Amino acid sequence: MNSLPARTRGASRRDVLKGTGLAAAFVLVPGLATSCAKSKSESGSGSLKFWDMPWAVESYNTASEALVEAYKPASGLPAAKLQRIQWNNFSTTFASALASKTGPAVSSGAGFQAFQFAEQGYIAMADNLISDWEKDGFLNDFITGTVDALKTSEGYVGVPWQSDVRTWWYRKSLFDDAGATIPTTWDELMTAGELLKEKGYFGFGNGAGAGNNIGAQSLVMMMINNGGGLFDPDGELDLLNERNVETIDFVLELVKAGISDPAAVSYTTDNHLGQWKNKKFAFGIHTPALDDNIADSSGDLLIASPLAGPHGDKATLAYVNNIMMYTNTPSQEGSEAFVDYYIRGMKTYWQTSVISALPVLQSIVDMPEFQKSGNKVKAVKEYLPIAKTYAARSSEVFPAIAQVDGSQPLAQFTQTVLGGQTDAKSALTTLQQGLSAIVTS
Amino acid sequence: MLVMPSIVLLLLIHLFPLFKAFLDSLHTGSLIDSGEFVGFQNYIDNLTSPTFWKAARFTLVFTLVGVFGSWAVGLALALLLRTRIPGGGLIKVLLLLPWVVPIVVSSTAINWLVATSSSPIPVLFEKVGLGQPLFLADPTWAAIVVCVFKVWVSFPFMMMMSSAALSGVDQGVYEAARMDGATSMQQLRWVTLPMIARSTYISWILMTIFCVNDFPTIFLLTGGGPIDATNSLVVLAYRTVFQNQQVGPGVSIAFMMTVVLVVLSTVLYRQIRRAAH
Amino acid sequence: MTATHETGDLSHVVEVRGGKGRRSDKRGQWWRFLLILPIAAVALVPVGVVFLLAFTPSAASNTTGLTMENFSNVFANTDVLLWLQNSLLVTVGTVLVCVAVAAPAGYVLSRGRSRAVATYSLMLFVFQSLPVITAVIPLFLIFANIGLVDSLLGLTIVYVGSSMAVAIWMMAAYMDSIPISLEEAAWIDGASLFRGFWQVVLRNSLPGILSTAIFTFLVAWNDYLVAIVFLRSDVAFTLPLGLQSFFQQNTTDWGAVMAVAVIAMIPPVALFVFLNKYFSVGGIGGSLAGQ
């Protein structure tokens, strides 16, 4: 029988030693490891941890490291050290860092995370910095609306550094080939779409697959375009208002007419970009960085002027990406000094063209290097003024926005609509129910 | 005694998270905020949600296809490779590659093969006259692709386990069977399979746990879509926690999964031990 | 009945199986080869895609046709060798510790009949069944408090803990097939329990140990969910994290990703080839040699 005999005394002493030895090793060695780990990470205690995301290609990473390295703090203030944080599972990285007090003093990040963190008291408000800038006039350099997009009832949760809007793009050669004209209203989009379809091109290029949020953002953008949006002016979820229903009805018409690619439901970011690159998509919504993303500088791929909705409204969805400061910092004054330096110095990214996002400082927009990019200039000129966050219809921003962005109900909604097997009311009702369960404030 | 180091390690790594996770499932917090205590409300909400049951159904399908599909393929290959084949050694190593390739890379390869209308496999289907199925955009096809992908990733493990078990089978028994006039099929059914039964059951249990808990394989390929068609319970749990930022409901799903798995495995394992004696 | 069965078992465990009928063998060989070839070919298509993409120039470059440039780019501009080194450190560490701890534990699980052992076995099931994503943040909190975050050692400990349960199982299952009569013989000769374990069972468990080692190796080698939360500094990146670093805001450098993936496949494959010699004919792994 396979059972242990009763006699174990001699062996057990040996084994207890062995077991304790191993256990002890695991307790002692961490001590060694800690010193090793520390020497690998921050060089000096009290230096500012600055977390930045990979906002563009490798050249951006190098440029940002250089910019941070070049920061010479005033005496008594801490120097800054940059840490690159990957987008993958970034919310877990930030959350676990904040919970264990090992987080950064300053960081960039997702468009709305500052609002959520502020609610929990992790954010140091930027009011001081903003009022300093107001005094010396620097605040005037910010494009209208960008700073206010970060204002909550408790203060400014961060300072803007670049913005990301949703714009309409078109590929000229495909329009010429189909004999269609670039639309300026939604109705014209339908007409052009039908002409493009005859040649096998898609007039409503989109993508809503794994990891691809453009699809969801495009539907929200269109709702906002039409004067609707996810929330009402009081910040309550209002999916079923008539402008939203009208919007989704329109999108469903596009889908049924075959103007939207049926496989778009599953397109990852790469599939999506691939369709633009392969000249299958003739018209559609994307970020201002589309031409950079597919390395297309031929001049064939251009940003179209904003479309007017059925009631003549023009609006788009925007993310004002911001630099935020945290309460867990060696020196608040040091944080502010660093952010001040960083915002004033970030123009080098656009000077050396390492970043594709839109600047928020007018002075950067006016730079000759930026003016060279016709598409981005057009985006700044025509889209930024009409850009709204998810809180489109309200004048204030609130944390609920962060909860809906990238959420599961929104993704499901997008896939349902792009799949075409539904009607506007039911899809929006499902979305309303799904989002109500999530939005807590 | 001999088990103490393992106990120390297991407790260190697993006990606190298990405890904290259970606590979280009783609250309505987000990743950064503990939220309020709601007792078992999260569990009730989940058990009454159609999304949950849809995910449970898909998990069942995914697991059954994953376990038995990979076992069948793995066993077949192990049987074929049991004897000498020209280049057998090389083929053996090559057949282990699907297990070795990082999932993020192999899911990209699958996407490259089927995602758009100009991808190789849809083009092939069209040429052969089978029309152009939307492999990842159509809910049914997406589920098929995900299950096939899982079988592809898992068969090397099953092949390894089957090979090991087969290598312990006494060849003498086959001689006896052959002399009694048994065909290859009969030998397989009445000689081989019973002799590797215990190892087979254990590999089924292990693979069941792997399939139920497998998050990257599905999430990287379809993200749980389209329209939740390929949402398994663990993907649903992840999305609830990290995309909806609802830690409580998400973790409660994970707990329910754990309970079911533990009950299932314990029952099956007892069967095996009983069978051995 | 039991006695003869068990002695019969032992010979299987150590011998190399071989020797079959001659005449049908040659024809059988080729028939099986032809059968397995298309299966292997289809199974390897996705792997082929990985290699194809690794040798295809990326979107940003100007070369056309197949090229080695992704590889030269990766070696010149990234820390791939550092990632390789870190991955090897962590993975080898995990395998060594895991096997060292799982072997005795598996022995107890296999031989033990007491209530305590049954509870222990249940505990193993529970711990193995909880998905890792739910455990990641609490673990991070503990490790942050003892200073093991952003360190390869901390990561190793987590990997060991995660693969421990399955490793113990695999060991136990293999040891089940080694008859206790051998240890009984040793005990009668005056050896202690530990001696019996060490000299009799362990010595005969090489295939089981190697299977467990391979399994643990692959779990640690390819993990990124845990690594991405625990590791921050670039100098500590393992290969899966290095892969992730190519996923930028809106685009991905697929050529580089695939090239690194190919590089990442080399050590495990080398391990398989190397270990292939130590297993009995019929395949890699002897952990569950049948009864």
Side-chain angles (χ1 to χ4, degrees):
Chain A
M1 235 79 63
N2 284 358
S3 50
L4 288 169
R7 45 186 291 266
T8 55
R9 231 163 298 141
S12 54
R13 206 178 305 141
R14 191 103 142 279
D15 298 320
V16 166
L17 282 178
K18 192 166 102 113
T20 346
L22 265 171
F26 281 114
V27 172
L28 287 176
V29 182
L32 290 171
T34 316
S35 43
C36 287
K38 281 263 165 64
S39 66
K40 278 199 209 116
S41 44
E42 310 113 66
S43 36
S45 64
S47 68
L48 283 176
K49 284 196 267 191
F50 174 51
W51 283 12
D52 194 24
M53 321 298 291
W55 289 103
V57 292
E58 187 61 32
S59 46
Y60 165 79
N61 291 358
T62 331
S64 62
E65 277 156 34
L67 184 60
V68 174
E69 202 101 345
Y71 173 56
K72 301 277 177 284
S75 68
L77 294 178
K81 184 127 200 332
L82 179 121
Q83 176 99 57
R84 185 79 45 206
I85 300 292
Q86 299 304 316
W87 277 116
N88 198 314
N89 277 31
F90 76 98
S91 46
T92 318
T93 313
F94 274 97
S96 41
L98 290 176
S100 60
K101 305 223 183 332
T102 55
V106 179
S107 86
S108 64
F112 305 121
Q113 75 181 44
F115 297 103
Q116 279 185 303
F117 292 169
E119 238 196 337
Q120 299 300 317
Y122 289 118
I123 298 285
M125 297 295 170
D127 296 48
N128 228 4
L129 207 45
I130 301 282
S131 65
D132 282 346
W133 286 345
E134 199 175 2
K135 283 191 214 125
D136 67 14
F138 182 57
L139 199 63
N140 297 330
D141 198 11
F142 283 91
I143 296 180
T144 329
T146 50
V147 177
D148 286 332
L150 299 173
K151 188 178 198 320
T152 68
S153 47
E154 310 288 327
Y156 292 92
V157 295
V159 299
W161 77 282
Q162 45 107 317
S163 76
D164 187 14
V165 292
R166 295 293 162 265
T167 65
W168 293 97
W169 284 84
Y170 68 98
R171 200 175 259 292
K172 192 158 184 319
S173 54
L174 302 184
F175 270 81
D176 290 338
D177 188 34
T181 46
I182 315 291
T184 57
T185 70
W186 284 18
D187 289 326
E188 288 176 26
L189 173 59
M190 181 65 91
T191 332
E194 272 154 13
L195 282 170
L196 289 164
K197 171 123 181 67
E198 280 163 37
K199 287 283 182 157
Y201 307 129
F202 294 108
F204 187 63
N206 221 329
N212 189 353
N213 289 323
I214 305 256
Q217 291 162 3
S218 70
L219 289 186
V220 174
M221 181 255 215
M222 289 183 76
M223 287 196 269
I224 295 180
N225 189 180
N226 197 18
L230 297 179
F231 300 95
D232 69 13
D234 296 319
E236 299 295 323
L237 282 171
D238 182 26
L239 274 315
L240 285 160
N241 84 67
E242 47 178 51
R243 293 296 180 95
N244 288 345
V245 177
E246 194 179 20
T247 309
I248 301 302
D249 272 328
F250 178 70
V251 175
L252 284 170
E253 268 178 72
L254 289 173
V255 172
K256 291 204 168 73
I259 298 176
S260 165
D261 188 342
V265 173
S266 68
Y267 282 168
T268 59
T269 326
D270 287 292
N271 298 136
H272 193 167
L273 291 172
Q275 292 294 76
W276 277 105
K277 193 167 182 153
N278 295 337
K279 308 209 166 130
K280 286 275 163 56
F281 283 0
F283 198 76
I285 299 174
H286 214 99
T287 72
L290 179 60
D291 51 0
D292 290 337
N293 289 151
I294 59 176
D296 184 328
S297 45
S298 62
D300 187 30
L301 194 59
L302 299 163
I303 290 188
S305 294
L307 296 186
H311 301 264
D313 311 272
K314 289 189 188 183
T316 185
L317 177 65
Y319 291 84
V320 180
N321 287 314
N322 46 77
I323 303 284
M324 56 205 102
M325 296 183 283
Y326 296 83
T327 49
N328 181 21
T329 168
S331 149
Q332 179 60 25
E333 207 193 326
S335 296
E336 288 177 15
F338 174 70
V339 174
D340 180 82
Y341 161 80
Y342 192 81
I343 296 288
R344 290 183 199 266
M346 66 185 180
K347 57 178 183 267
T348 147
Y349 296 152
W350 283 272
Q351 265 169 336
T352 49
S353 302
V354 294
I355 197 170
S356 299
L358 300 178
V360 293
L361 294 178
Q362 188 62 43
S363 55
I364 303 183
V365 173
D366 295 332
M367 287 189 327
E369 294 91 341
F370 184 75
Q371 290 288 323
K372 269 193 279 182
S373 163
N375 282 324
K376 296 201 189 52
V377 171
K378 189 165 185 181
V380 170
K381 205 155 137 255
E382 299 186 26
Y383 282 87
L384 270 188
I386 55 167
K388 302 196 200 301
T389 66
Y390 276 95
R393 290 156 72 193
S394 111
S395 52
E396 223 184 48
V397 189
F398 36 87
I401 301 180
Q403 290 167 308
V404 301
D405 188 31
S407 66
Q408 196 184 345
L410 208 46
Q412 201 180 356
F413 169 72
T414 313
Q415 290 177 332
T416 315
V417 169
L418 289 180
Q421 308 288 336
T422 181
D423 67 283
K425 284 238 166 71
S426 12
L428 285 165
T429 314
T430 317
L431 180 59
Q432 172 94 14
Q433 288 168 344
L435 288 179
S436 326
I438 302 179
V439 172
T440 53
S441 52
Chain B
M1 324 148 295
L2 287 165
V3 295
M4 216 168 89
S6 66
I7 294 184
V8 167
L9 267 166
L10 283 169
L11 288 179
L12 173 69
I13 302 291
H14 291 278
L15 203 61
F16 177 62
L18 201 64
F19 183 63
K20 174 112 186 4
F22 185 64
L23 271 186
D24 281 340
S25 72
L26 301 177
H27 288 73
T28 58
S30 72
L31 285 175
I32 48 174
D33 155 31
S34 26
E36 348 170 300
F37 180 77
V38 288
F40 285 100
Q41 191 58 39
N42 288 327
Y43 289 89
I44 298 175
D45 286 339
N46 272 313
L47 288 171
T48 52
S49 132
T51 315
F52 176 82
W53 289 108
K54 186 169 178 187
R57 269 198 304 278
F58 180 71
T59 309
L60 187 64
V61 170
F62 181 71
T63 305
L64 286 174
V65 173
V67 172
F68 293 108
S70 63
W71 176 71
V73 174
L75 181 65
L77 288 171
L79 286 170
L80 280 173
L81 287 169
R82 175 159 64 153
T83 55
R84 278 201 330 240
I85 292 185
L90 176 66
I91 295 185
K92 235 184 294 166
V93 174
L94 286 179
L95 285 174
L96 285 167
L97 283 181
W99 191 20
V100 178
V101 179
I103 287 274
V104 69
V105 169
S106 43
S107 69
T108 308
I110 302 281
N111 175 290
W112 186 89
L113 283 168
V114 302
T116 70
S117 53
S118 28
S119 302
I121 302 217
V123 167
L124 193 68
F125 265 61
E126 191 161 30
K127 288 224 164 76
V128 175
L130 288 170
Q132 268 226 357
L134 296 172
F135 285 100
L136 291 177
D138 174 67
T140 320
W141 271 108
I144 295 177
V145 171
V146 165
C147 291
V148 168
F149 184 41
K150 183 59 179 168
V151 168
W152 182 83
V153 172
S154 316
F155 83 80
F157 175 76
M158 287 304 217
M159 186 178 81
M160 179 179 101
M161 300 286 255
S162 304
S163 266
L166 286 172
S167 67
V169 171
D170 185 3
Q171 292 298 313
V173 191
Y174 285 112
E175 291 298 330
R178 229 172 282 146
M179 286 200 286
D180 282 346
T183 66
S184 296
M185 263 295 119
Q186 286 173 327
Q187 283 177 38
L188 179 66
R189 169 102 175 69
W190 297 107
V191 177
T192 316
L193 286 182
M195 295 195 82
I196 58 170
R198 201 150 101 245
S199 126
T200 304
Y201 293 145
I202 292 189
S203 61
W204 286 356
I205 296 183
L206 282 178
M207 188 51 78
T208 303
I209 296 184
F210 297 158
C211 282
V212 171
N213 282 345
D214 185 2
F215 165 75
T217 310
I218 301 179
F219 191 71
L220 289 174
L221 194 59
T222 60
I227 322 176
D228 292 347
T230 58
N231 234 3
S232 74
L233 285 172
V234 70
V235 173
L236 180 63
Y238 177 91
R239 292 172 80 183
T240 311
V241 172
F242 294 103
Q243 284 178 351
N244 293 351
Q245 313 199 17
Q246 293 175 297
V247 172
V251 174
S252 66
I253 297 177
F255 255 93
M256 290 193 276
M257 281 165 56
T258 306
V259 167
V260 170
L261 270 180
V262 170
V263 167
L264 203 64
S265 325
T266 321
V267 164
L268 285 173
Y269 195 64
R270 287 229 183 94
Q271 294 279 55
I272 298 174
R273 299 223 92 179
R274 211 170 295 148
H277 299 276
Chain C
M1 187 63 155
T2 332
T4 16
H5 230 237
E6 285 173 334
T7 18
D9 258 5
L10 188 55
S11 62
H12 301 167
V13 168
V14 261
E15 267 174 30
V16 169
R17 297 255 52 85
K20 289 134 205 108
R22 235 151 294 251
R23 344 120 237 154
S24 57
D25 203 36
K26 263 295 187 268
R27 217 176 24 140
Q29 264 190 42
W30 282 103
W31 174 82
R32 279 185 286 269
F33 179 69
L34 285 176
L35 192 62
I36 215 176
L37 209 56
I39 301 179
V42 167
L44 287 172
V45 164
V47 181
V49 170
V50 173
F51 276 86
L52 175 69
L53 290 176
F55 287 101
T56 310
S58 64
S61 96
N62 293 321
T63 40
T64 48
L66 296 178
T67 163
M68 289 282 289
E69 121 191 318
N70 289 320
F71 289 93
S72 51
N73 178 32
V74 151
F75 277 111
N77 298 335
T78 66
D79 294 319
V80 65
L81 289 174
L82 176 67
W83 302 334
L84 199 61
Q85 177 194 312
N86 288 337
S87 273
L88 278 172
L89 271 175
V90 170
T91 307
V92 170
T94 305
V95 170
L96 288 177
V97 174
C98 204
V99 168
V101 177
Y107 179 67
V108 170
L109 193 64
S110 163
R111 302 303 190 227
R113 270 292 160 274
S114 64
R115 229 23 197 316
V117 174
T119 321
Y120 177 66
S121 141
L122 183 66
M123 181 184 84
L124 286 180
F125 278 107
V126 173
F127 286 156
Q128 181 51 32
S129 304
L130 190 68
V132 69
I133 44 156
T134 48
V136 151
I137 296 187
L139 267 180
F140 184 89
L141 290 175
I142 305 179
F143 277 60
N145 281 326
I146 55 180
L148 275 179
V149 162
D150 206 16
S151 96
L152 294 178
L153 179 72
L155 195 63
T156 309
I157 296 179
V158 177
Y159 284 160
V160 171
S162 318
S163 37
M164 180 73 66
V166 174
I168 297 178
W169 241 348
M170 286 175 87
M171 289 285 198
Y174 189 80
M175 289 173 183
D176 275 344
S177 68
I178 297 176
I180 195 157
S181 50
L182 295 175
E183 289 135 77
E184 280 169 353
W187 292 329
I188 290 173
D189 284 348
S192 65
L193 176 74
F194 183 70
R195 219 50 188 304
F197 162 67
W198 184 260
Q199 288 195 325
V200 177
V201 177
L202 210 57
R203 197 169 278 172
N204 288 319
S205 302
L206 192 61
I209 293 179
L210 291 177
S211 303
T212 309
I214 288 180
F215 176 80
T216 315
F217 187 95
L218 282 175
V219 165
W221 188 256
N222 278 338
D223 164 83
Y224 81 101
L225 279 174
V226 175
I228 204 158
V229 176
F230 277 75
L231 295 179
R232 303 249 185 84
S233 318
D234 299 350
V235 291
F237 270 18
T238 55
L239 278 170
L241 287 194
L243 266 177
Q244 291 293 329
S245 67
F246 293 112
F247 290 76
Q248 308 291 351
Q249 171 75 338
N250 282 319
T251 55
T252 309
D253 186 0
W254 285 111
V257 171
M258 295 299 173
V260 173
V262 168
I263 295 173
M265 289 200 276
I266 296 177
V269 170
L271 186 72
F272 288 146
V273 171
F274 176 68
L275 290 181
N276 208 4
K277 295 195 209 102
Y278 293 91
F279 288 97
S280 43
V281 154
I284 290 186
S287 76
L288 297 169
Q291 36 139 221

